[in-house]
Amino acid sequence: METKLKPVDTSVWRKKPLAAYEADMKKSELKRVLTRWGLTSLGIGAVIGGGIFVLTGIAAHDWAGPALALSFVLAGVACTFAALCYAEFASILPVEGSAYAYSYGTVGEIFAWLIGWNLILEYMMGATTVAVSWSGYFEKLLHLFHIEPPIWLMNDPVTAQEKAAALRAAGVAVPDFSFAMNLPAFLIVLVVTYILVKGIKEAASTNNIIVIVKVAVVIFVIVVGAFYVDTANWHPFLPEPVIDSGGQQHYGFNGIVTAASIVFFAYIGFDAVSTQAGEAINPKKDVPFAIIASLVICTVLYILVSLVLTGMVPFKSLDLKAPVAQAFADKGLTWAVYIITIAALGGLTSVMLVMMLGQTRVFLGMAKDGLIPPSLFAAIHPKFKTPWKSTILVGIIVSIVAALTPIDKVSELTSSGTLLAFAMICGAVWLLRVREPNLERPYKTPVLPLIATLGICANLYLMYNLRTDTKISFVVWCFIGLIVYFTYSRKNSHLNKPQE
């Protein structure tokens, strides 16, 4: 008797059956070693770093002034709506892949592909940006010990030539060079790659140590810095709007919103928590807890640091590369600068670690579904039980881009992918609640219609307020993603093989 095969669904809106996720969890070769607080630590590890140690200077100096605290509130609120929706999804589908996996089972393949494609932008370019920031703080540490490395070894080719030209214009003799690369950024990415290949337990242990140190230093910055706050620096708290030559408004309410869009890059850590569900001991309960806990803890710390920072020095005097360390240096607290600089290096290292970790787990989820080559992205190391091939590939790409590319605007491009993914998830969890009302939900988002609506609106509004060239770059990235989907992913999707 012949077995009648189920006809293949060729629609781009076809969905992965929820039963297939359960099969994936049973077949998973990843080690389940992460506890509730281990997951929370990973979230804090991703969130605290670039936001506090780097983006605070840019956002306050150029866009919000002392009202940067309100930008963090706005970004935190937008994140909270998304985090509550993420938490419900994570309790239903505790698998690696994050927003990509959630949307594949609820909305459809093309929707999931676009989210996965944007998560590549979010994590890989985010890790690249952080690697360059790490190099900046490392250079500052060398200067503290009166070591002056050559420009061509500390900067990408474009930035190196710009710095050399500026120094020559100031009368400083700078040797000619034909080659330049950001060597510290290149090397730190390779170190993080090695840790990730070795295993999630080792990565989590490394991250836990760094998180304890940098949270202690952030609290130190808040407590010690509070004694040097001059409230006159907060006036006016909301500077008068200024329109630049490109028609972009700085300061005022629009400036606060733009700053919130920029610092949003700092909040993607809670998304990284959900990518680790495949390695959590009790994912249905612990992942929702870790998502919300890491977001709340970090938002409070961000607001307090931004108030202290803009109170210590006038916002127009904030250093763009190392604002926290420079603020303490301006007050003559040289001993504190050593502590902050070393903590920033550790903090940025853990951000890189969690971002690259999240990227490889998103790749793993997509490869298991056939949307990208499984032989490369789903290969698990027989001893370390990590997706080693994709980890090495990500490490090579990030290290080369960080070494050779000027990345002054990449944080905004990273934010655009994050904002769209968050808005999509808010809509997808609401859709699933309507379609599958009887599904077991260990965690249920309260007043979901309101939370989901606010999440969609808040995230799309922040995305709308990004700079025009950032939005154009983002559209180009999405267009490339659609080409890849229709030329490779659609025909190789495992949904084309219902018998399997």
Side-chain angles (χ1 to χ4, degrees):
M1 181 178 177
E2 290 187 9
T3 304
K4 191 174 182 181
L5 295 179
K6 185 179 178 182
V8 175
D9 182 0
T10 58
S11 167
V12 297
W13 296 104
R14 57 191 176 182
K15 296 186 290 294
K16 182 176 178 178
L18 295 182
Y21 288 101
E22 296 176 10
D24 283 347
M25 284 185 276
K26 290 176 182 177
K27 291 188 295 183
S28 177
E29 297 178 62
L30 299 173
K31 291 182 181 178
R32 291 196 177 273
V33 295
L34 295 177
T35 63
R36 168 177 291 197
W37 288 106
L39 287 163
T40 304
S41 178
L42 280 172
I44 296 172
V47 175
I48 292 184
I52 281 182
F53 295 117
V54 180
L55 294 180
T56 45
I58 298 168
H61 184 280
D62 293 345
W63 300 100
L68 175 63
L70 298 180
S71 299
F72 276 118
V73 171
L74 184 58
V77 168
C79 267
T80 300
F81 297 141
L84 291 170
C85 294
Y86 258 90
E88 178 167 325
F89 258 140
S91 73
I92 299 169
L93 301 173
V95 293
E96 67 278 342
S98 179
Y100 157 77
Y102 306 153
S103 54
Y104 203 177
T106 55
V107 182
E109 189 172 87
I110 186 69
F111 190 92
W113 168 260
L114 281 174
I115 286 187
W117 187 250
N118 286 325
L119 288 176
I120 295 172
L121 184 71
E122 172 186 320
Y123 285 118
M124 202 175 291
M125 290 301 99
T128 305
T129 306
V130 174
V132 175
S133 300
W134 188 96
S135 176
Y137 268 92
F138 181 70
E139 186 175 8
K140 189 168 190 65
L141 181 65
L142 293 180
H143 290 162
L144 289 173
F145 289 99
H146 308 292
I147 299 171
E148 297 293 334
I151 291 175
W152 59 271
L153 266 186
M154 304 299 293
N155 299 279
D156 63 86
V158 174
T159 306
Q161 293 293 350
E162 289 176 351
K163 286 188 175 182
L167 288 170
R168 291 184 186 116
V172 179
V174 179
D176 289 329
F177 52 86
S178 57
F179 169 81
M181 70 175 293
N182 194 329
L183 183 62
F186 181 83
L187 293 178
I188 188 59
V189 173
L190 296 185
V191 171
V192 170
T193 302
Y194 172 78
I195 294 172
L196 292 175
V197 169
K198 284 283 288 182
I200 180 65
K201 192 170 184 179
E202 289 75 8
S205 299
T206 303
N207 181 72
N208 289 342
I209 295 168
I210 295 173
V211 167
I212 291 169
V213 172
K214 71 179 176 181
V215 169
V217 171
V218 168
I219 294 171
F220 164 83
V221 167
I222 293 167
V223 173
V224 175
F227 289 98
Y228 293 88
V229 167
D230 180 357
T231 54
N233 291 329
W234 288 337
H235 299 290
F237 189 73
L238 184 59
E240 287 296 316
V242 175
I243 307 296
D244 64 21
S245 57
Q248 183 83 39
Q249 180 180 311
H250 300 252
Y251 315 118
F253 178 73
N254 285 353
I256 291 174
V257 176
T258 302
S261 302
I262 292 170
V263 299
F264 203 89
F265 162 76
Y267 277 102
I268 65 176
F270 84 81
D271 173 270
V273 172
S274 65
T275 68
Q276 308 310 312
E279 288 140 294
I281 295 171
N282 186 8
K284 290 192 174 185
K285 291 185 178 180
D286 293 348
V287 171
F289 172 88
I291 286 173
I292 295 168
S294 59
L295 180 62
V296 171
I297 292 168
C298 295
T299 300
V300 171
L301 292 176
Y302 272 154
I303 291 168
L304 293 175
V305 167
S306 63
L307 287 171
V308 167
L309 200 58
T310 54
M312 288 180 71
V313 296
F315 71 91
K316 276 294 185 183
S317 300
L318 283 172
D319 184 66
L320 298 185
K321 285 190 174 181
V324 180
Q326 193 58 50
F328 278 76
D330 290 347
K331 294 296 181 181
L333 301 172
T334 308
W335 58 274
V337 177
Y338 284 91
I339 297 173
I340 292 167
T341 303
I342 292 170
L345 288 171
L348 293 170
T349 302
S350 70
V351 174
M352 265 186 289
L353 189 147
V354 177
M355 283 185 172
M356 291 171 65
L357 186 68
Q359 175 65 85
T360 56
R361 272 47 177 187
V362 171
F363 276 151
L364 180 60
M366 297 173 78
K368 284 182 175 180
D369 296 328
L371 301 186
I372 54 179
S375 59
L376 174 60
F377 295 101
I380 303 296
H381 195 282
K383 179 181 177 183
F384 302 133
K385 299 299 181 184
T386 56
W388 65 287
K389 288 184 180 179
S390 66
T391 300
I392 292 172
L393 177 65
V394 169
I396 291 171
I397 293 172
V398 172
S399 62
I400 292 173
V401 175
L404 302 176
T405 312
I407 329 227
D408 54 337
K409 304 300 180 187
V410 169
S411 63
E412 289 187 53
L413 194 57
T414 305
S415 293
S416 60
T418 309
L419 288 163
L420 182 62
F422 286 1
M424 287 173 140
I425 281 299
C426 290
V429 75
W430 191 2
L431 184 65
L432 185 62
R433 187 81 73 88
V434 173
R435 286 181 174 174
E436 302 280 352
N438 298 321
L439 203 62
E440 181 190 357
R441 291 173 170 83
Y443 173 84
K444 292 185 74 170
T445 305
V447 288
L448 180 61
L450 176 63
I451 294 294
T453 302
L454 291 173
I456 293 168
C457 294
N459 285 284
L460 290 181
Y461 179 64
L462 289 177
M463 190 174 177
Y464 172 77
N465 279 276
L466 288 166
R467 296 178 308 108
T468 303
D469 56 346
T470 301
K471 287 184 275 193
I472 293 172
S473 300
F474 179 67
V475 170
V476 171
W477 173 257
C478 289
F479 181 72
I480 295 171
L482 289 174
I483 292 174
V484 175
Y485 173 75
F486 283 107
T487 56
Y488 177 88
S489 304
R490 188 182 183 189
K491 64 182 179 182
N492 287 284
S493 169
H494 287 171
L495 294 186
N496 289 328
K497 308 165 189 173
Q499 68 273 22
E500 295 181 14

